[in-house]
Amino acid sequence: MANNMEPGYKSCVQFVPGTNGYGIVAVGFTGISYSSDRGNSWRELSKESFYTLRFQNDSIAYAAGKNRIAKIKFQ
């Protein structure tokens, strides 16, 4: 996936709390992608595969995949 391209298929998409819908995180088999402009452009955060993502608050999220859990910090 190239930066600023659509992230392709993702199994879980979440709005980042406190961003008024501008921040979006998408996770899936192809990795983790982030958009700060409501999905108009994307940045790849990781190529590691995950199935789901849940936010603890507006700056910490947890992604889960096969035999793995990752903590993601947003600033």
Side-chain angles (χ1 to χ4, degrees):
M1 183 195 95
N3 286 342
N4 296 322
M5 301 288 292
E6 292 183 28
Y9 174 78
K10 298 294 184 184
S11 55
C12 183
V13 179
Q14 296 281 324
F15 286 106
V16 179
T19 64
N20 294 321
Y22 280 88
I24 304 171
V25 181
V27 301
F29 180 73
T30 57
I32 302 172
S33 299
Y34 173 75
S35 173
S36 61
D37 59 6
R38 295 185 176 179
N40 290 311
S41 62
W42 292 89
R43 182 170 52 124
E44 185 177 75
L45 299 181
S46 173
K47 291 185 183 291
E48 297 291 327
S49 62
F50 291 94
Y51 303 139
T52 190
L53 175 90
R54 294 294 179 263
F55 277 88
Q56 177 180 345
N57 54 40
D58 62 354
S59 61
I60 297 175
Y62 291 91
K66 184 177 181 178
N67 300 318
R68 72 176 82 204
I69 296 175
K71 182 178 182 179
I72 305 167
K73 294 182 182 181
F74 294 88
Q75 297 180 3

